[in-house]
Protein backbone atom coordinates (compact mmCIF):
# COMPACT_ATOMS: atom_id res chain seq x y z
CA UNK A 1 0.00 0.00 0.00
CA UNK A 2 1.28 3.44 -0.88
CA UNK A 3 0.61 6.12 1.67
CA UNK A 4 1.18 9.74 0.73
CA UNK A 5 1.35 12.48 3.34
CA UNK A 6 1.01 16.13 2.33
CA UNK A 7 1.63 18.57 5.13
CA UNK A 8 0.55 21.34 5.62
CA UNK A 9 -2.65 21.87 3.62
CA UNK A 10 -4.11 25.22 4.65
CA UNK A 11 -2.55 28.65 4.55
CA UNK A 12 -4.19 29.73 7.81
CA UNK A 13 -4.11 28.84 11.49
CA UNK A 14 -5.26 25.65 13.19
CA UNK A 15 -4.63 21.93 13.00
CA UNK A 16 -6.49 19.57 10.69
CA UNK A 17 -5.53 16.25 9.17
CA UNK A 18 -7.19 14.93 6.05
CA UNK A 19 -6.77 11.32 5.04
CA UNK A 20 -8.04 9.91 1.79
CA UNK A 21 -7.93 6.60 -0.01
CA UNK A 22 -7.21 6.74 -3.73
CA UNK A 23 -8.06 3.95 -6.13
CA UNK A 24 -7.49 4.16 -9.88
CA UNK A 25 -6.82 7.89 -9.61
CA UNK A 26 -10.03 8.70 -7.71
CA UNK A 27 -10.63 9.33 -4.00
CA UNK A 28 -12.79 6.55 -2.61
CA UNK A 29 -12.82 7.36 1.11
CA UNK A 30 -11.80 10.23 3.38
CA UNK A 31 -11.34 11.18 7.02
CA UNK A 32 -11.28 14.72 8.39
CA UNK A 33 -9.59 15.08 11.78
CA UNK A 34 -9.10 18.12 13.98
CA UNK A 35 -5.90 17.39 15.90
CA UNK A 36 -5.92 20.15 18.52
CA UNK A 37 -8.19 20.32 21.55
CA UNK A 38 -10.22 23.53 21.95
CA UNK A 39 -11.27 23.45 25.58
CA UNK A 40 -12.72 26.95 25.79
CA UNK A 41 -15.96 25.54 27.15
CA UNK A 42 -14.04 24.22 30.16
CA UNK A 43 -12.29 27.56 30.70
CA UNK A 44 -15.61 29.41 30.87
CA UNK A 45 -17.25 27.25 33.52
CA UNK A 46 -17.63 29.19 36.78
CA UNK A 47 -16.67 32.55 35.30
CA UNK A 48 -18.67 35.79 35.23
CA UNK A 49 -20.91 35.78 32.12
CA UNK A 50 -19.46 39.16 31.12
CA UNK A 51 -16.13 37.39 30.52
CA UNK A 52 -17.55 35.17 27.77
CA UNK A 53 -17.26 37.59 24.79
CA UNK A 54 -13.65 38.42 25.68
CA UNK A 55 -12.68 34.79 26.17
CA UNK A 56 -14.49 33.41 23.13
CA UNK A 57 -13.00 36.13 20.92
CA UNK A 58 -9.68 34.37 21.51
CA UNK A 59 -11.02 31.15 19.99
CA UNK A 60 -9.50 32.37 16.75
CA UNK A 61 -7.21 35.16 15.59
CA UNK A 62 -9.05 35.36 12.28
CA UNK A 63 -12.73 34.82 13.13
CA UNK A 64 -12.51 36.63 16.46
CA UNK A 65 -15.21 39.29 16.12
CA UNK A 66 -18.00 36.98 15.06
CA UNK A 67 -17.50 34.94 18.23
CA UNK A 68 -17.82 38.18 20.19
CA UNK A 69 -21.13 38.91 18.47
CA UNK A 70 -22.57 35.42 18.95
CA UNK A 71 -21.46 35.39 22.59
CA UNK A 72 -23.00 38.81 23.21
CA UNK A 73 -26.27 37.69 21.69
CA UNK A 74 -26.34 34.54 23.83
CA UNK A 75 -25.85 36.66 26.95
CA UNK A 76 -28.43 39.22 25.81
CA UNK A 77 -30.89 36.37 25.28
CA UNK A 78 -30.22 35.11 28.81
CA UNK A 79 -30.38 38.62 30.33
CA UNK A 80 -33.31 39.90 28.21
CA UNK A 81 -31.41 42.82 26.63
CA UNK A 82 -32.60 44.47 23.41
CA UNK A 83 -30.08 46.49 21.38
CA UNK A 84 -30.36 50.19 20.70
CA UNK A 85 -30.39 51.24 17.04
CA UNK A 86 -26.86 52.68 17.31
CA UNK A 87 -25.60 49.50 18.98
CA UNK A 88 -27.08 47.35 16.24
CA UNK A 89 -25.69 49.55 13.45
CA UNK A 90 -22.17 49.58 14.89
CA UNK A 91 -22.18 45.81 15.32
CA UNK A 92 -23.45 45.39 11.77
CA UNK A 93 -20.76 47.67 10.39
CA UNK A 94 -18.05 45.82 12.26
CA UNK A 95 -19.28 42.45 11.04
CA UNK A 96 -19.85 43.68 7.48
CA UNK A 97 -16.42 45.27 7.14
CA UNK A 98 -14.78 42.19 8.58
CA UNK A 99 -16.74 39.96 6.21
CA UNK A 100 -15.60 41.76 3.12
CA UNK A 101 -11.86 41.73 3.76
CA UNK A 102 -12.07 38.14 5.01
CA UNK A 103 -13.60 37.04 1.69
CA UNK A 104 -11.25 38.83 -0.68
CA UNK A 105 -8.24 37.74 1.36
CA UNK A 106 -9.47 34.16 1.11
CA UNK A 107 -9.80 34.40 -2.66
CA UNK A 108 -6.48 36.05 -3.48
CA UNK A 109 -4.20 34.96 -0.64
CA UNK A 110 -5.52 31.64 0.64
CA UNK A 111 -6.98 29.97 -2.43
CA UNK A 112 -6.27 31.57 -5.84
CA UNK A 113 -2.68 30.36 -5.89
CA UNK A 114 -4.06 26.81 -6.19
CA UNK A 115 -5.34 27.78 -9.63
CA UNK A 116 -2.47 29.92 -10.92
CA UNK A 117 0.81 28.98 -12.55
CA UNK A 118 2.66 31.73 -10.76
CA UNK A 119 5.75 31.34 -12.97
CA UNK A 120 3.74 32.53 -15.98
CA UNK A 121 4.50 36.04 -14.73
CA UNK A 122 8.00 35.73 -16.19
CA UNK A 123 6.42 35.58 -19.67
CA UNK A 124 4.41 38.78 -19.30
CA UNK A 125 5.25 41.04 -22.26
CA UNK A 126 2.68 43.81 -21.87
CA UNK A 127 3.36 47.48 -21.24
CA UNK A 128 1.28 48.17 -18.12
CA UNK A 129 3.70 49.86 -15.66
CA UNK A 130 1.99 48.33 -12.65
CA UNK A 131 2.12 44.81 -14.04
CA UNK A 132 5.72 45.26 -15.16
CA UNK A 133 6.55 46.24 -11.57
CA UNK A 134 4.89 43.06 -10.33
CA UNK A 135 6.84 41.02 -12.89
CA UNK A 136 10.09 42.67 -11.83
CA UNK A 137 9.33 42.00 -8.17
CA UNK A 138 8.40 38.34 -8.59
CA UNK A 139 11.20 37.52 -11.04
CA UNK A 140 13.64 39.29 -8.73
CA UNK A 141 12.48 37.24 -5.75
CA UNK A 142 12.78 34.01 -7.73
CA UNK A 143 16.28 34.96 -8.89
CA UNK A 144 17.24 35.63 -5.28
CA UNK A 145 15.84 32.27 -4.20
CA UNK A 146 13.13 33.89 -2.05
CA UNK A 147 9.71 33.00 -3.43
CA UNK A 148 7.76 33.30 -0.20
CA UNK A 149 4.79 33.66 0.19
CA UNK A 150 3.98 32.12 -3.21
CA UNK A 151 5.68 28.83 -2.40
CA UNK A 152 5.58 26.02 -1.52
CA UNK A 153 3.15 25.16 -4.27
CA UNK A 154 1.76 22.21 -6.13
CA UNK A 155 2.66 21.49 -9.74
CA UNK A 156 0.21 23.33 -12.04
CA UNK A 157 -2.21 21.07 -13.94
CA UNK A 158 -4.79 21.44 -16.72
CA UNK A 159 -7.02 23.61 -14.51
CA UNK A 160 -4.25 26.07 -13.64
CA UNK A 161 -4.48 29.49 -15.29
CA UNK A 162 -1.24 30.15 -17.18
CA UNK A 163 -2.00 33.17 -19.37
CA UNK A 164 0.81 35.62 -18.43
CA UNK A 165 -1.35 38.75 -18.41
CA UNK A 166 -4.13 37.12 -16.39
CA UNK A 167 -1.74 35.65 -13.84
CA UNK A 168 0.23 38.89 -13.48
CA UNK A 169 -2.99 40.87 -13.05
CA UNK A 170 -4.32 38.53 -10.37
CA UNK A 171 -1.03 38.63 -8.47
CA UNK A 172 -1.12 42.43 -8.57
CA UNK A 173 -4.60 42.20 -7.02
CA UNK A 174 -3.22 39.76 -4.44
CA UNK A 175 -0.81 42.49 -3.33
CA UNK A 176 -3.55 45.15 -3.35
CA UNK A 177 -5.81 42.92 -1.25
CA UNK A 178 -3.18 42.76 1.50
CA UNK A 179 -2.93 46.56 1.53
CA UNK A 180 -6.70 46.88 1.80
CA UNK A 181 -6.87 44.30 4.59
CA UNK A 182 -4.65 46.58 6.70
CA UNK A 183 -6.87 49.56 5.94
CA UNK A 184 -9.96 47.54 6.83
CA UNK A 185 -8.50 46.71 10.25
CA UNK A 186 -7.94 50.43 10.86
CA UNK A 187 -11.49 51.16 9.70
CA UNK A 188 -13.01 48.58 12.04
CA UNK A 189 -10.97 49.77 15.01
CA UNK A 190 -12.90 53.06 14.84
CA UNK A 191 -15.87 51.06 16.15
CA UNK A 192 -14.22 48.34 18.22
CA UNK A 193 -11.26 50.08 19.85
CA UNK A 194 -8.71 47.58 18.58
CA UNK A 195 -8.36 44.86 15.97
CA UNK A 196 -8.28 41.93 16.26
CA UNK A 197 -10.30 41.00 19.35
CA UNK A 198 -12.72 43.91 19.65
CA UNK A 199 -13.03 45.55 23.07
CA UNK A 200 -16.04 47.79 22.45
CA UNK A 201 -18.54 45.09 21.45
CA UNK A 202 -20.19 44.02 24.71
CA UNK A 203 -23.41 42.48 25.99
CA UNK A 204 -25.90 45.30 25.49
CA UNK A 205 -24.39 46.81 22.35
CA UNK A 206 -21.25 48.80 21.58
CA UNK A 207 -19.44 51.24 23.87
CA UNK A 208 -17.93 53.28 21.03
CA UNK A 209 -19.02 56.91 20.66
CA UNK A 210 -17.45 57.96 17.35
CA UNK A 211 -17.52 61.63 16.38
CA UNK A 212 -18.93 62.85 13.07
CA UNK A 213 -15.37 63.34 11.82
CA UNK A 214 -14.43 59.76 12.68
CA UNK A 215 -17.55 58.42 10.98
CA UNK A 216 -16.79 60.45 7.87
CA UNK A 217 -13.25 59.06 7.81
CA UNK A 218 -14.70 55.56 8.26
CA UNK A 219 -16.95 56.23 5.27
CA UNK A 220 -13.98 57.14 3.07
CA UNK A 221 -12.19 53.93 4.00
CA UNK A 222 -15.42 51.98 3.45
CA UNK A 223 -15.80 53.48 -0.02
CA UNK A 224 -12.25 52.41 -0.87
CA UNK A 225 -13.13 48.85 0.11
CA UNK A 226 -16.31 49.07 -1.99
CA UNK A 227 -14.35 50.27 -5.03
CA UNK A 228 -12.01 47.27 -4.76
CA UNK A 229 -14.86 44.79 -4.32
CA UNK A 230 -16.98 46.21 -7.17
CA UNK A 231 -14.21 46.89 -9.66
CA UNK A 232 -11.60 44.22 -8.91
CA UNK A 233 -12.69 41.32 -6.67
CA UNK A 234 -16.11 40.56 -8.15
CA UNK A 235 -14.93 40.92 -11.81
CA UNK A 236 -11.95 38.63 -11.10
CA UNK A 237 -14.12 35.90 -9.57
CA UNK A 238 -16.64 36.12 -12.40
CA UNK A 239 -13.90 36.05 -15.04
CA UNK A 240 -12.29 32.85 -13.79
CA UNK A 241 -15.60 31.24 -12.76
CA UNK A 242 -17.19 31.70 -16.18
CA UNK A 243 -13.84 31.31 -17.97
CA UNK A 244 -11.06 28.80 -17.31
CA UNK A 245 -12.73 27.23 -14.27
CA UNK A 246 -16.20 26.71 -15.77
CA UNK A 247 -15.41 23.10 -16.86
CA UNK A 248 -14.35 22.36 -13.29
CA UNK A 249 -17.50 24.05 -11.96
CA UNK A 250 -19.71 22.08 -14.36
CA UNK A 251 -18.35 18.80 -13.01
CA UNK A 252 -19.60 19.48 -9.47
CA UNK A 253 -16.01 19.30 -8.27
CA UNK A 254 -15.92 19.33 -4.47
CA UNK A 255 -19.69 19.20 -3.88
CA UNK A 256 -21.09 17.86 -0.61
CA UNK A 257 -24.29 15.82 -0.38
CA UNK A 258 -26.54 18.83 -1.06
CA UNK A 259 -27.80 19.72 2.43
CA UNK A 260 -27.27 23.39 3.35
CA UNK A 261 -27.77 25.36 6.57
CA UNK A 262 -27.46 29.13 7.05
CA UNK A 263 -28.23 31.29 10.07
CA UNK A 264 -29.62 34.85 9.73
CA UNK A 265 -27.21 37.77 9.89
CA UNK A 266 -26.99 41.55 9.70
CA UNK A 267 -30.39 42.48 11.20
CA UNK A 268 -31.81 45.66 9.73
CA UNK A 269 -34.49 46.21 12.35
CA UNK A 270 -34.87 46.07 16.11
CA UNK A 271 -36.20 43.06 17.96
CA UNK A 272 -39.86 42.63 17.09
CA UNK A 273 -40.15 39.99 19.83
CA UNK A 274 -38.01 38.43 22.54
CA UNK A 275 -37.21 35.65 20.11
CA UNK A 276 -35.24 38.07 17.91
CA UNK A 277 -32.66 38.82 20.62
CA UNK A 278 -30.67 35.70 19.74
CA UNK A 279 -30.18 37.12 16.25
CA UNK A 280 -29.40 40.73 17.23
CA UNK A 281 -32.69 42.02 15.78
CA UNK A 282 -35.11 41.38 12.94
CA UNK A 283 -35.27 41.59 9.14
CA UNK A 284 -31.78 40.20 8.40
CA UNK A 285 -29.97 41.15 5.21
CA UNK A 286 -29.41 37.42 4.66
CA UNK A 287 -32.12 35.07 5.91
CA UNK A 288 -31.43 31.81 7.66
CA UNK A 289 -32.80 28.52 6.40
CA UNK A 290 -32.31 24.89 5.49
CA UNK A 291 -32.12 23.37 2.00
CA UNK A 292 -32.33 19.59 1.84
CA UNK A 293 -30.69 17.36 -0.78
CA UNK A 294 -33.06 16.15 -3.47
CA UNK A 295 -31.04 13.77 -5.59
CA UNK A 296 -27.55 12.74 -6.60
CA UNK A 297 -24.69 14.90 -5.45
CA UNK A 298 -24.23 18.08 -7.56
CA UNK A 299 -27.16 17.10 -9.81
CA UNK A 300 -29.12 20.34 -9.37
CA UNK A 301 -29.35 22.27 -12.62
CA UNK A 302 -31.84 24.96 -11.57
CA UNK A 303 -31.79 26.51 -8.09
CA UNK A 304 -34.34 29.25 -8.71
CA UNK A 305 -37.15 27.45 -6.86
CA UNK A 306 -35.48 25.61 -4.02
CA UNK A 307 -37.58 24.68 -1.02
CA UNK A 308 -36.15 26.57 1.94
CA UNK A 309 -37.23 25.53 5.43
CA UNK A 310 -37.03 27.72 8.52
CA UNK A 311 -34.32 26.73 10.97
CA UNK A 312 -35.54 24.81 14.02
CA UNK A 313 -32.70 25.40 16.47
CA UNK A 314 -33.90 22.56 18.70
CA UNK A 315 -32.85 20.12 15.94
CA UNK A 316 -29.13 20.91 16.27
CA UNK A 317 -27.10 18.15 17.94
CA UNK A 318 -23.49 17.06 18.22
CA UNK A 319 -22.25 13.47 18.14
CA UNK A 320 -18.95 12.34 19.67
CA UNK A 321 -18.85 8.70 18.54
CA UNK A 322 -15.61 9.31 16.58
CA UNK A 323 -14.38 12.27 18.66
CA UNK A 324 -12.04 12.28 21.67
CA UNK A 325 -14.89 13.06 24.06
CA UNK A 326 -17.27 11.05 26.20
CA UNK A 327 -21.02 11.54 26.62
CA UNK A 328 -23.08 9.97 29.41
CA UNK A 329 -23.67 6.24 28.96
CA UNK A 330 -26.28 5.51 26.31
CA UNK A 331 -26.25 9.03 24.84
CA UNK A 332 -25.21 9.33 21.16
CA UNK A 333 -25.90 13.02 20.54
CA UNK A 334 -26.71 16.14 22.58
CA UNK A 335 -28.23 19.53 21.86
CA UNK A 336 -25.57 22.20 22.54
CA UNK A 337 -27.63 23.71 25.36
CA UNK A 338 -27.06 20.40 27.17
CA UNK A 339 -23.61 19.81 25.69
CA UNK A 340 -20.78 18.13 27.54
CA UNK A 341 -17.01 18.61 27.06
CA UNK A 342 -15.34 15.61 28.69
CA UNK A 343 -12.10 14.55 27.00
CA UNK A 344 -11.14 10.90 26.47
CA UNK A 345 -7.82 10.73 24.66
CA UNK A 346 -7.78 6.92 24.77
CA UNK A 347 -11.16 6.47 23.08
CA UNK A 348 -11.21 3.59 20.66
CA UNK A 349 -12.00 4.47 17.01
CA UNK A 350 -11.97 8.23 17.74
CA UNK A 351 -9.94 10.29 15.26
CA UNK A 352 -10.80 13.96 15.84
CA UNK A 353 -11.14 16.66 18.49
CA UNK A 354 -14.04 18.04 16.46
CA UNK A 355 -17.52 16.89 17.37
CA UNK A 356 -19.95 15.97 14.57
CA UNK A 357 -22.78 18.56 14.34
CA UNK A 358 -26.02 17.46 12.74
CA UNK A 359 -29.34 19.15 11.95
CA UNK A 360 -32.29 16.83 12.37
CA UNK A 361 -29.73 14.00 12.28
CA UNK A 362 -28.34 15.07 8.88
CA UNK A 363 -25.04 16.61 7.83
CA UNK A 364 -25.15 20.21 6.62
CA UNK A 365 -22.69 22.25 4.57
CA UNK A 366 -22.45 25.76 6.01
CA UNK A 367 -20.77 28.88 4.66
CA UNK A 368 -21.07 31.09 1.57
CA UNK A 369 -22.60 28.50 -0.75
CA UNK A 370 -25.17 27.59 1.90
CA UNK A 371 -26.01 31.29 2.26
CA UNK A 372 -26.32 31.58 -1.50
CA UNK A 373 -28.59 28.53 -1.80
CA UNK A 374 -30.83 29.56 1.10
CA UNK A 375 -31.14 33.14 -0.19
CA UNK A 376 -31.11 32.05 -3.85
CA UNK A 377 -28.73 34.72 -5.04
CA UNK A 378 -29.67 35.76 -8.62
CA UNK A 379 -25.98 35.62 -9.59
CA UNK A 380 -25.81 32.01 -8.35
CA UNK A 381 -29.00 31.11 -10.23
CA UNK A 382 -27.40 32.55 -13.40
CA UNK A 383 -24.23 30.57 -12.75
CA UNK A 384 -26.20 27.32 -12.59
CA UNK A 385 -28.05 28.26 -15.78
CA UNK A 386 -24.65 28.72 -17.45
CA UNK A 387 -23.61 25.20 -16.45
CA UNK A 388 -22.08 25.74 -13.02
CA UNK A 389 -22.89 23.29 -10.26
CA UNK A 390 -22.48 22.98 -6.50
CA UNK A 391 -18.90 22.74 -5.30
CA UNK A 392 -15.60 24.59 -5.24
CA UNK A 393 -16.20 27.32 -7.84
CA UNK A 394 -19.74 28.06 -6.61
CA UNK A 395 -18.32 28.68 -3.11
CA UNK A 396 -15.91 31.29 -4.44
CA UNK A 397 -18.63 32.96 -6.51
CA UNK A 398 -21.01 33.11 -3.53
CA UNK A 399 -18.38 34.89 -1.42
CA UNK A 400 -17.98 37.57 -4.07
CA UNK A 401 -21.75 38.12 -4.35
CA UNK A 402 -22.10 38.40 -0.58
CA UNK A 403 -19.24 40.89 -0.36
CA UNK A 404 -20.75 43.10 -3.05
CA UNK A 405 -24.13 43.33 -1.33
CA UNK A 406 -22.66 43.92 2.11
CA UNK A 407 -20.15 46.59 1.16
CA UNK A 408 -22.66 48.56 -0.92
CA UNK A 409 -25.57 48.37 1.53
CA UNK A 410 -23.30 49.18 4.46
CA UNK A 411 -22.87 52.77 3.27
CA UNK A 412 -26.46 53.47 4.32
CA UNK A 413 -25.68 52.30 7.88
CA UNK A 414 -22.76 54.75 8.11
CA UNK A 415 -24.95 57.56 6.81
CA UNK A 416 -27.61 56.72 9.40
CA UNK A 417 -25.01 56.82 12.19
CA UNK A 418 -23.75 60.20 10.96
CA UNK A 419 -27.35 61.46 10.94
CA UNK A 420 -27.88 60.22 14.50
CA UNK A 421 -24.55 61.66 15.68
CA UNK A 422 -25.41 65.09 14.25
CA UNK A 423 -28.63 64.98 16.27
CA UNK A 424 -26.82 64.18 19.55
CA UNK A 425 -24.67 61.60 21.36
CA UNK A 426 -24.80 58.02 20.11
CA UNK A 427 -26.33 55.64 22.65
CA UNK A 428 -24.86 52.26 21.80
CA UNK A 429 -25.40 50.42 25.10
CA UNK A 430 -28.42 49.01 26.92
CA UNK A 431 -27.14 47.17 30.00
CA UNK A 432 -28.79 44.87 32.52
CA UNK A 433 -27.29 43.14 35.58
CA UNK A 434 -26.38 39.46 35.53
CA UNK A 435 -29.44 37.37 36.49
CA UNK A 436 -29.16 34.64 39.11
CA UNK A 437 -30.21 32.06 36.54
CA UNK A 438 -30.77 32.09 32.81
CA UNK A 439 -30.24 30.39 29.48
CA UNK A 440 -29.44 31.99 26.15
CA UNK A 441 -28.59 31.29 22.52
CA UNK A 442 -26.73 33.57 20.13
CA UNK A 443 -26.37 32.74 16.45
CA UNK A 444 -24.72 34.49 13.51
CA UNK A 445 -23.71 33.42 10.04
CA UNK A 446 -19.96 33.97 10.19
CA UNK A 447 -17.87 34.20 6.99
CA UNK A 448 -17.20 30.47 7.21
CA UNK A 449 -20.81 29.64 8.09
CA UNK A 450 -23.32 28.93 10.84
CA UNK A 451 -22.01 29.90 14.28
CA UNK A 452 -23.89 29.32 17.54
CA UNK A 453 -23.14 29.97 21.21
CA UNK A 454 -25.23 28.59 24.08
CA UNK A 455 -24.90 29.73 27.72
CA UNK A 456 -26.44 28.59 31.00
CA UNK A 457 -26.14 30.92 34.02
CA UNK A 458 -26.57 29.59 37.55
CA UNK A 459 -25.95 31.50 40.78
CA UNK A 460 -24.70 34.48 38.68
CA UNK A 461 -21.93 32.35 37.11
CA UNK A 462 -21.53 30.39 33.88
CA UNK A 463 -22.65 26.83 34.55
CA UNK A 464 -22.29 25.60 30.97
CA UNK A 465 -21.13 27.13 27.69
CA UNK A 466 -21.04 25.46 24.30
CA UNK A 467 -20.08 26.65 20.83
CA UNK A 468 -20.86 25.01 17.49
CA UNK A 469 -18.60 26.72 14.96
CA UNK A 470 -18.61 26.68 11.13
CA UNK A 471 -15.47 24.59 10.67
CA UNK A 472 -16.96 22.02 13.06
CA UNK A 473 -20.05 21.75 10.87
CA UNK A 474 -17.93 21.28 7.73
CA UNK A 475 -14.84 19.48 9.06
CA UNK A 476 -16.48 17.25 11.67
CA UNK A 477 -15.94 13.46 11.57
CA UNK A 478 -18.40 10.63 11.04
CA UNK A 479 -21.41 10.46 13.38
CA UNK A 480 -22.92 7.61 15.38
CA UNK A 481 -24.44 6.22 12.17
CA UNK A 482 -21.13 6.27 10.32
CA UNK A 483 -22.25 9.14 8.06
CA UNK A 484 -19.31 11.18 6.78
CA UNK A 485 -18.95 14.89 7.49
CA UNK A 486 -19.09 17.51 4.67
CA UNK A 487 -15.32 17.69 4.05
CA UNK A 488 -15.22 13.92 3.81
CA UNK A 489 -18.20 13.90 1.43
CA UNK A 490 -16.71 16.62 -0.77
CA UNK A 491 -13.50 14.66 -1.34
CA UNK A 492 -15.16 11.44 -2.50
CA UNK A 493 -14.82 11.00 -6.25
CA UNK A 494 -12.27 13.77 -6.70
CA UNK A 495 -9.60 12.94 -9.27
CA UNK A 496 -6.03 12.49 -8.12
CA UNK A 497 -4.28 11.41 -11.31
CA UNK A 498 -0.81 12.05 -9.87
CA UNK A 499 -0.29 10.74 -6.34
CA UNK A 500 2.81 12.92 -6.10
CA UNK A 501 0.75 16.06 -6.81
CA UNK A 502 -2.59 15.87 -4.96
CA UNK A 503 -3.53 19.45 -5.80
CA UNK A 504 -7.26 18.69 -6.05
CA UNK A 505 -7.41 17.70 -2.39
CA UNK A 506 -6.26 21.12 -1.27
CA UNK A 507 -8.42 22.92 -3.84
CA UNK A 508 -11.51 21.27 -2.37
CA UNK A 509 -10.71 21.75 1.31
CA UNK A 510 -9.44 25.32 0.88
CA UNK A 511 -12.61 26.29 -0.97
CA UNK A 512 -14.44 25.95 2.37
CA UNK A 513 -11.95 28.44 3.86
CA UNK A 514 -11.03 26.14 6.76
CA UNK A 515 -9.62 28.06 9.68
CA UNK A 516 -7.17 25.26 10.50
CA UNK A 517 -3.78 24.06 9.33
CA UNK A 518 -3.86 20.63 7.83
CA UNK A 519 -1.94 17.53 6.90
CA UNK A 520 -3.26 15.26 4.18
CA UNK A 521 -2.69 11.55 4.04
CA UNK A 522 -3.39 9.79 0.78
CA UNK A 523 -3.68 6.06 1.27
CA UNK A 524 -3.26 3.52 -1.51
CA UNK A 525 -5.50 0.60 -0.43
CA UNK A 526 -3.57 -1.90 -2.57
CA UNK A 527 0.03 -1.33 -1.51
CA UNK A 528 -0.55 0.32 1.89
CA UNK A 529 2.70 2.19 1.35
CA UNK A 530 3.17 5.63 2.77
CA UNK A 531 4.94 8.47 0.97
CA UNK A 532 5.78 11.94 2.22
CA UNK A 533 5.28 14.73 -0.32
CA UNK A 534 7.15 17.98 0.14
CA UNK A 535 5.56 20.76 -1.91
CA UNK A 536 8.40 22.45 -3.80
Amino acid sequence: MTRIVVDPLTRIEGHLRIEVEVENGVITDAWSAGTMARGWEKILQGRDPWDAPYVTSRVCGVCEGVHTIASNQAIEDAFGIELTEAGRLMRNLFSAGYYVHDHFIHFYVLSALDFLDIMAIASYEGSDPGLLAVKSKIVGLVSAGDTSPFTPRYTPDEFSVNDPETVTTLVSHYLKAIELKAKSQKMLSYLTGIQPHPNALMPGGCTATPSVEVLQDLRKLWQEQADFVNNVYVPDVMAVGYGPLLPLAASGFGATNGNYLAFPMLPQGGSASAGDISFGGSNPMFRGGVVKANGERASRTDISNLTVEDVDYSQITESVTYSWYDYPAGVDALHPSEGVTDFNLQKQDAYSFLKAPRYNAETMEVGPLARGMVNQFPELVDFFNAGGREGVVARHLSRAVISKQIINDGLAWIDRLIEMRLAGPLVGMNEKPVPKTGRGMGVWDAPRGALGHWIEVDNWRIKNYQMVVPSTWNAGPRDENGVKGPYEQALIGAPVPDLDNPINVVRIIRSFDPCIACAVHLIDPHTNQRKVVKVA
Side-chain angles (χ1 to χ4, degrees), residues 62-120:
V62 177
C63 315
E64 26 79 34
V66 290
H67 282 287
T68 305
I69 291 175
S71 183
N72 281 331
Q73 289 176 180
I75 293 171
E76 288 155 2
D77 186 33
F79 289 18
I81 300 175
E82 295 185 10
L83 293 182
T84 66
E85 182 183 8
R88 174 174 51 78
L89 288 172
M90 286 191 280
R91 274 195 196 171
N92 274 1
L93 283 168
F94 163 74
S95 183
Y98 164 79
Y99 241 92
V100 171
H101 78 231
D102 184 89
H103 281 354
F104 66 64
I105 285 291
H106 171 260
F107 178 70
Y108 290 107
V109 178
L110 302 179
S111 191
L113 295 177
D114 298 334
F115 297 95
L116 299 181
D117 180 357
I118 193 79
M119 298 314 298

Side-chain angles (χ1 to χ4, degrees), residues 129-410:
L131 298 187
L132 286 171
V134 170
K135 175 183 177 181
S136 176
K137 187 180 191 70
I138 301 303
V139 172
L141 288 171
V142 172
S143 300
D146 180 10
T147 54
S148 177
F150 303 113
T151 56
R153 67 169 190 157
Y154 293 89
T155 304
D157 66 3
E158 70 270 26
F159 292 111
S160 297
V161 179
N162 55 18
D163 173 69
E165 180 157 353
T166 302
V167 174
T168 309
T169 300
L170 288 172
V171 171
S172 74
H173 296 165
Y174 172 111
L175 299 172
K176 184 66 176 178
I178 295 173
E179 175 189 336
L180 284 170
K181 164 70 182 290
K183 289 186 175 181
S184 178
Q185 293 289 60
K186 175 184 177 182
M187 176 181 78
L188 299 182
S189 70
Y190 286 162
L191 301 173
T192 61
I194 191 172
Q195 275 300 113
H197 309 302
N199 285 339
L201 302 184
M202 302 181 69
C206 180
T207 61
T209 55
S211 66
V212 171
E213 290 75 18
V214 166
L215 290 171
Q216 289 172 336
D217 195 26
L218 187 154
R219 197 182 196 286
K220 290 178 184 176
L221 290 169
W222 193 279
Q223 185 62 60
E224 189 175 5
Q225 302 280 320
D227 291 342
F228 181 75
V229 169
N230 291 323
N231 302 319
V232 178
Y233 173 40
V234 172
D236 279 351
V237 174
M238 294 297 177
V240 296
Y242 280 91
L245 298 187
L246 187 56
L248 199 64
S251 71
F253 177 69
T256 57
N257 71 354
N259 288 332
Y260 297 96
L261 168 70
F263 290 165
M265 70 171 195
L266 299 174
Q268 301 178 92
S271 296
S273 68
D276 290 334
I277 295 177
S278 292
F279 316 113
S282 61
N283 187 27
M285 176 183 292
F286 298 101
R287 65 167 293 191
V290 176
V291 172
K292 297 285 187 65
N294 65 347
E296 293 295 321
R297 207 158 54 111
S299 62
R300 291 184 173 102
T301 59
D302 181 357
I303 61 167
S304 59
N305 291 299
L306 294 175
T307 299
V308 181
E309 302 173 8
D310 291 337
V311 180
D312 179 352
Y313 295 90
S314 70
Q315 295 303 310
I316 297 171
T317 59
E318 289 187 303
S319 164
V320 297
T321 302
Y322 291 94
S323 307
W324 285 303
Y325 303 97
D326 280 340
Y327 275 172
V331 175
D332 291 325
L334 287 171
H335 186 269
S337 65
E338 305 293 340
V340 174
T341 307
D342 288 340
F343 294 104
N344 179 358
L345 303 185
Q346 308 303 320
K347 188 173 181 180
Q348 188 174 8
D349 297 328
Y351 62 92
S352 179
F353 277 111
L354 301 181
K355 297 178 180 178
R358 296 293 184 263
Y359 179 82
N360 198 18
E362 295 189 74
T363 61
M364 293 282 153
E365 177 179 343
V366 302
L369 180 55
R371 203 169 304 122
M373 299 291 274
V374 167
N375 288 273
Q376 297 180 39
F377 295 157
E379 296 89 342
L380 196 58
V381 172
D382 292 342
F383 185 63
F384 274 66
N385 290 338
R389 296 292 177 264
E390 299 155 68
V392 168
V393 182
R395 291 187 191 105
H396 288 294
L397 186 140
S398 294
R399 283 190 187 88
V401 172
I402 292 164
S403 300
K404 182 178 180 179
Q405 181 170 346
I406 286 176
I407 200 69
N408 292 331
D409 289 2

